[in-house]
Structure formats: structure tokens, C-alpha cells
């Protein structure tokens, strides 16, 4: 399901459509969000970090998201000057993940099936391995080299240029998110009613890490500690809870006071 309204995707770094980077982008990066924001911002002037100065920062206000990720130097070079914002249709429920099998609906590869190799959630793009390619020239004649051409994959819009393939019969279908009896949120084919499982590569990071293969370190918070419920809501104040935990019993009775 998706909205029908259209919004500008980038009026500042703090806003594509949802006001932040896509969740799949941050998960794939496996980097802190504060680091990504600090690395990507283009600061033209900033006051010194001293008490006699106000905290003022002059930075570029408009960014364009591309296939290069915001924490890379290539993305900085592409956004070294102000560029026009791109119109993107916001999507409520994202249905495409790395490793999904899709069918191309446009271009020379129309009707062909392929595997999603990259997801650019900020632009509603996906890249399909080996499909929708074009020749890109590498090298410049000004550098004294003739250069060469390489085959590069072009992005496809998830709204109208690709369709998800149902693995039960290898035919395209529309999907929606539903909940199972166990409370698990899954993708369901609207044509066959079968569950389309999420591919394992959709949970991999750029350094090929997955939640199942991750090993906890000495500085990691244990999963049992995170899941433990330590808070019990009561009508007591903080002071009352401290007194109860320390075994302090209050016998004093407050003196009556009157307000006129």
C-alpha cells in the first residue's frame, strides 16, 4: 500500500520523506546513525566549540540521494554544490529487499527475472543483478588515456518498473503485509495467498554480517539483559520506592496545614 500524494524528497539533510534515512540503508551500513549524519553533512562554516561563541553552523541545505551511500566520498563529491530536489513518491510499506526475485516491466529486459542486488530506499530504487544495464565510460581523454567502457546496472523504480515474483509459481504478484497467528509480520501474495518469505541476504550488512552469525563481545549488552523487564509501574513516588527497597518505614504524620 502506498500514498498517492507526492512530496519533495530532499529539502535538507534531515528530511527525505520520512525525515531520516531509510531503515534498510542504516541496517545495511552497520554504522551508527550519528556517524552517518556527521560524515554526510556539508558544513561551509561553523563557530568554534568554545563557551564565548554561539553554536552556529552554516551547511548546505539541499542534498540529492544517489546510488552512492551518504557516508562515502563519492556522495560528497556529487553533493559539493546545491542541486535541485528530486520528486519521490512516499511508500508506507516497503516490499522489496536484497535477494528478492523480481520481474522487470520496462526497457529492453522487459519480462526477465532477476535478483535484487541493491536497495536505495530514499529514491524508491532497486538494482537487479545483470538487468537494465548500460555502458559507462571510465577514464578521460584529457588525462592522456583513451579510457574504456564497463557495463553498469541502472536503477529501477519499485512503484511501476518492477514487480515481485511469487516463488510458488514464478509469476508476478502484488503483496501486502499481514500478521500470522503467532504475531509475526509477513508478506502475503494477493494472487495466491501464500507467504513470501524474506530472503536471508536482506539482513546482511555490507561486511556480510547477519544477526544469526553475530558473536557477542565483552562490551556488548547481553540479549537476556535487554529483554528482561525491570520496570514495574506503581503509584509510588521515587522516594517511596527507595525507602521500600532500603526497608525504611515512615512513622511520622505530617502536620495539618490550612490555606486561606
Amino acid at each position: 500500500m502506498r500514498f498517492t500524494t507526492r512530496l519533495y524528497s530532499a529539502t535538507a539533510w534531515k528530511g527525505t520523506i520520512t525525515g531520516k534515512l531509510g531503515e534498510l540503508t542504516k541496517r545495511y551500513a552497520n554504522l551508527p546513525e550519528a556517524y552517518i549524519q556527521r560524515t554526510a553533512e556539508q558544513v561551509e562554516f561553523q563557530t568554534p566549540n568554545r563557551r564565548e561563541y554561539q553554536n552556529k553552523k552554516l551547511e548546505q541545505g539541499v542534498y540529492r540521494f544517489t546510488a552512492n551511500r551518504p557516508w562515502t566520498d563519492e556522495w560528497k563529491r556529487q553533493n559539493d554544490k546545491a542541486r535541485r530536489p528530486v520528486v519521490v513518491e512516499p511508500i508506507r510499506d516497503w516490499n522489496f529487499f536484497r535477494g528478492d526475485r523480481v520481474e522487470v516491466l520496462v526497457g529492453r529486459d522487459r519480462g526477465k527475472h532477476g535478483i535484487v542486488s541493491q536497495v536505495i530506499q530514499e529514491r524508491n530504487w532497486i538494482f537487479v543483478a545483470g538487468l537494465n544495464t548500460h555502458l559507462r565510460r571510465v577514464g578521460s581523454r584529457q588525462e592522456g588515456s583513451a579510457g574504456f567502457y564497463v557495463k553498469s546496472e541502472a536503477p529501477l523504480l519499485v512503484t511501476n518498473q518492477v514487480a515481485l515474483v511469487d516463488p510458488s509459481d514464478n509469476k508476478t504478484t502484488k503483496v501486502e503485509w499481514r500478521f500470522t497467528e503467532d504475531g509475526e509480520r509477513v508478506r502475503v501474495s494477493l494472487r495466491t495467498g501464500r507467504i513470501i518469505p524474506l530472503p536471508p541476504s536482506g539482513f546482511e550488512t555490507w561486511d556480510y554480517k547477519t544477526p544469526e552469525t553475530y558473536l557477542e563481545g565483552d562490551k556488548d549488552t547481553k540479549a537476556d539483559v535487554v529483554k528482561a523487564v525491570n520496570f514495574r509501574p506503581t503509584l509510588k513516588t521515587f522516594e517511596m520506592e527507595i525507602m521500600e527497597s532500603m526497608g525504611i518505614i515512615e512513622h511520622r504524620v505530617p502536620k495539618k496545614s490550612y490555606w486561606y
Side-chain angles (χ1 to χ4, degrees):
M1 182 180 294
R2 50 189 171 88
F3 296 105
T4 57
T5 56
R6 293 181 180 269
L7 302 174
Y8 282 104
S9 66
T11 56
W13 159 252
K14 299 179 180 60
T16 54
I17 296 171
T18 59
K20 57 182 179 179
L21 282 174
E23 293 298 329
L24 297 180
T25 300
K26 293 185 291 185
R27 186 200 308 173
Y28 180 72
N30 198 20
L31 295 171
E33 186 176 357
Y35 170 80
I36 297 175
Q37 181 174 349
R38 184 175 66 252
T39 306
E41 62 184 5
Q42 303 280 3
V43 179
E44 299 179 4
F45 173 77
Q46 186 176 5
T47 56
N49 187 18
R50 295 167 60 181
R51 59 185 302 177
E52 60 266 25
Y53 291 93
Q54 293 183 350
N55 186 14
K56 299 292 183 181
K57 182 188 297 184
L58 179 62
E59 59 181 331
Q60 181 178 324
V62 178
Y63 296 91
R64 175 176 292 186
F65 290 94
T66 62
N68 296 315
R69 299 293 70 203
W71 54 87
T72 60
D73 295 334
E74 292 80 3
W75 190 87
K76 284 188 175 182
R77 286 194 290 267
Q78 290 177 338
N79 288 272
D80 58 352
K81 59 182 179 180
R83 305 180 68 179
R84 295 179 58 187
V86 180
V87 178
V88 178
E89 184 177 0
I91 299 177
R92 176 182 294 175
D93 293 324
W94 188 265
N95 299 322
F96 296 86
F97 299 86
R98 293 175 62 249
D100 278 332
R101 180 177 294 276
V102 297
E103 180 178 323
V104 180
L105 305 179
V106 296
R108 294 176 297 178
D109 296 326
R110 180 177 181 180
K112 294 183 179 180
H113 290 191
I115 304 299
V116 177
S117 60
Q118 188 178 3
V119 175
I120 309 297
Q121 201 172 5
E122 297 79 19
R123 294 288 297 271
N124 293 348
W125 283 350
I126 62 171
F127 289 81
V128 183
L131 299 181
N132 194 38
T133 59
H134 64 280
L135 295 178
R136 180 167 57 89
R137 193 173 188 277
V138 178
S140 175
R141 293 188 177 92
Q142 297 178 356
E143 300 175 356
S145 173
F148 57 94
Y149 289 89
V150 296
K151 184 180 290 187
S152 177
E153 299 164 357
L156 293 165
L157 283 172
V158 300
T159 53
N160 55 7
Q161 294 182 348
V162 291
L164 197 62
V165 173
D166 191 339
S168 62
D169 55 3
N170 288 334
K171 294 182 179 179
T172 59
T173 179
K174 293 183 178 180
V175 298
E176 71 175 7
W177 290 89
R178 298 178 183 175
F179 289 92
T180 62
E181 296 179 354
D182 299 331
E184 182 182 2
R185 193 165 181 259
V186 295
R187 295 182 299 178
V188 178
S189 171
L190 294 180
R191 185 171 51 81
T192 61
R194 294 179 177 271
I195 295 177
I196 301 179
L198 296 179
S201 58
F203 299 94
E204 288 184 356
T205 61
W206 69 275
D207 48 358
Y208 304 102
K209 291 183 179 179
T210 58
E212 292 77 12
T213 58
Y214 182 77
L215 299 178
E216 294 180 348
D218 297 335
K219 297 184 179 180
D220 293 333
T221 304
K222 303 300 181 182
D224 298 338
V225 177
V226 176
K227 296 178 181 179
V229 180
N230 300 323
F231 176 72
R232 294 289 187 270
T234 60
L235 297 178
K236 301 177 182 178
T237 62
F238 176 75
E239 291 79 5
M240 292 178 180
E241 293 180 355
I242 295 297
M243 292 174 61
E244 183 180 356
S245 62
M246 299 181 64
I248 301 175
I249 302 177
E250 180 62 74
H251 299 286
R252 295 175 297 176
V253 179
K255 185 179 180 180
K256 293 184 178 180
S257 60
Y258 302 91
W259 294 87
Y260 298 96

